[in-house]
C-alpha cells in the first residue's frame, strides 16, 4: 500500500466527522494552556495525521513538527533517543536538552506525527521511527528512556504541550497490528489506561461517514463502498486504495 506523508496543504478534500470535531476541540485548548499531552489513536487507514494537520491548520496553531532520521535500523534504543534529541537541538540551534525544551515551550505544541514515524517517505537514506519499531524488539526500553527524560526535566515539560499520533505497531506474520486499536479486549484495556493518564482522542468513523469520505475523493457507487466496509471496516484510506486498483 502506498503511504502518504500529510501536511496541511494535503487536506484540500476533507470531510468533517464527529471524531475530527472532538479532536479540534481538544487541540483548541492548547492555545490557552500548557502541560497537556494529547494522544491521537486510531486503527491504520483512518487518517489520524490528516485529522491532526487539518485541525492544526484551521486553529492556526504554531507547532514544532518533530522529525526522526535514523541511519541504522539496528540502532539501540539509547542511540535512537540520542538521535532524536540531537536533531531537535540542531534544528533549534541550542546546545543542551533543557535549553531545547525551553525553546519548544514557545510553540503552541510539539507534534510527533508522520514526519517522525514515517520520515523515510520524505528523505532518502534515512529510516523513520515506525520502521525501527518493526525491526527492534527493544521498543519498550525506548519508552522507558522517554519516561526517564520526562522525570528529569519535569519542570520544563510542564510548559510544553505535546501531540502524539500514537501507534505502537506489532508485526505478526505478514500483518501489522496497532496495540491500541487492533487487538480485541487488550486494545480496549490499553486505550482506557492511556485515557486515565493523558487526553486521548480516537479517530474512528461510522459507516455513513466512511461512505461520505470515500465519495468526496472518488466517484464510487455507495453499494460498492458498503461491500468494502464489510471487508476492511471503516478505514477510508484502505478502501480508496482498493477502489483505485480495481
Amino acid at each position: 500500500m502506498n503511504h502518504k506523508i500529510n501536511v496541511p496543504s494535503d487536506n484540500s478534500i476533507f470531510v468533517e466527522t464527529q471524531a475530527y470535531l472532538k479532536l479540534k476541540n481538544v487541540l483548541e485548548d492548547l492555545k490557552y494552556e500548557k502541560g497537556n499531552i494529547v494522544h491521537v489513536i486510531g486503527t491504520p487507514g483512518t487518517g489520524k495525521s490528516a485529522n491532526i494537520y487539518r485541525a492544526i491548520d484551521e486553529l492556526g496553531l504554531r507547532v514544532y513538527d518533530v522529525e526522526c532520521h535514523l541511519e541504522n535500523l539496528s540502532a539501540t534504543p539509547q542511540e535512537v533517543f540520542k538521535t532524536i534529541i540531537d536533531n531537535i537541538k540542531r534544528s533549534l540551534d541550542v546546545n543542551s536538552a533543557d535549553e531545547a525544551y525551553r525553546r519548544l515551550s514557545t510553540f503552541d505544541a510539539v507534534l510527533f506525527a508522520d514526519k517522525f514515524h514515517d520520515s523515510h517517505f520524505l528523505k532518502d537514506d534515512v529510516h523513520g521511527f515506525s520502521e525501527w519499531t518493526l525491526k527492534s524488539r527493544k521498543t519498550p526500553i525506548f519508552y522507558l528512556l522517554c519516561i526517564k527524560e520526562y522525570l528529569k526535566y519535569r519542570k520544563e515539560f510542564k510548559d510544553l504541550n505535546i501531540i502524539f499520533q500514537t501507534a505502537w505497531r506489532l508485526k505478526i506474520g505478514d500483518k501489522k497490528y496497532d496495540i491500541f486499536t487492533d487487538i480485541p479486549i487488550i486494545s480496549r484495556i490499553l486505550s482506557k489506561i492511556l485515557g486515565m493518564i493523558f487526553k486521548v482522542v480516537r479517530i474512528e468513523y461510522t459507516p455513513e461517514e466512511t461512505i461520505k469520505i470515500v465519495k468526496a475523493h472518488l466517484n464510487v457507487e455507495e453499494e460498492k463502498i458498503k461491500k468494502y466496509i464489510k471487508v476492511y471496516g471503516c478505514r477510508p484510506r484502505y478502501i480508496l486504495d482498493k477502489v483505485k486498483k480495481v
Side-chain angles (χ1 to χ4, degrees), residues 66-70 80 84 87 115-117 119 126-129:
V66 180
E67 297 184 13
C68 178
H69 295 155
L70 301 176
V80 173
I84 294 166
N87 284 344
K115 290 183 179 181
F116 177 78
H117 292 293
S119 56
V126 299
H127 302 284
F129 187 73

Side-chain angles (χ1 to χ4, degrees), residues 141-202:
I141 296 175
F142 174 84
Y143 294 118
L144 288 174
L145 290 171
C146 293
I147 293 171
K148 181 182 177 182
E149 186 80 354
Y150 174 79
L151 294 174
K152 182 178 179 180
Y153 295 102
R154 187 182 300 179
K155 182 180 177 182
E156 286 78 10
F157 272 89
K158 284 182 179 178
D159 293 326
L160 290 178
N161 287 320
I162 303 175
I163 306 167
F164 289 107
Q165 178 190 319
T166 303
W168 191 338
R169 295 160 183 160
L170 294 177
K171 191 172 184 180
I172 303 174
D174 293 330
K175 292 187 177 181
K176 299 175 187 176
Y177 298 90
D178 178 70
I179 67 168
F180 292 109
T181 56
D182 290 340
I183 306 171
I185 301 175
I186 293 175
S187 292
R188 195 178 302 121
I189 293 170
L190 289 174
S191 60
K192 195 157 191 172
I193 293 171
L194 196 67
M196 292 169 66
I197 308 169
F198 308 106
K199 293 185 177 181
V200 174
V201 180
R202 181 174 180 137

Side-chain angles (χ1 to χ4, degrees), residues 19-70:
Y20 171 72
L21 294 175
K22 181 181 178 181
L23 174 64
K24 189 177 174 183
N25 284 336
V26 170
L27 296 190
E28 188 170 16
D29 292 339
L30 306 188
K31 282 184 171 183
Y32 316 105
E33 302 173 359
K34 292 289 186 181
N36 293 287
I37 297 178
V38 181
H39 286 272
V40 182
I41 65 174
T43 193
T46 51
K48 294 183 291 295
S49 60
N51 279 269
I52 292 169
Y53 283 113
R54 178 73 175 200
I56 286 170
D57 191 35
E58 285 203 338
L59 293 169
L61 293 178
R62 185 168 172 262
V63 168
Y64 180 91
D65 205 343
V66 180
E67 297 184 13
C68 178
H69 295 155
L70 301 176

Side-chain angles (χ1 to χ4, degrees), residues 51-111:
N51 279 269
I52 292 169
Y53 283 113
R54 178 73 175 200
I56 286 170
D57 191 35
E58 285 203 338
L59 293 169
L61 293 178
R62 185 168 172 262
V63 168
Y64 180 91
D65 205 343
V66 180
E67 297 184 13
C68 178
H69 295 155
L70 301 176
E71 295 180 359
N72 184 1
L73 285 178
S74 298
T76 65
Q78 291 82 1
E79 289 169 338
V80 173
F81 187 83
K82 185 177 185 302
T83 298
I84 294 166
I85 297 298
D86 285 348
N87 284 344
I88 292 173
K89 289 194 295 186
R90 194 179 304 113
S91 72
L92 295 174
D93 193 25
V94 298
N95 297 316
S96 63
D98 57 338
E99 193 177 355
Y101 297 138
R102 283 196 294 271
R103 187 72 64 82
L104 289 174
S105 69
T106 64
F107 291 85
D108 291 319
V110 179
L111 173 65

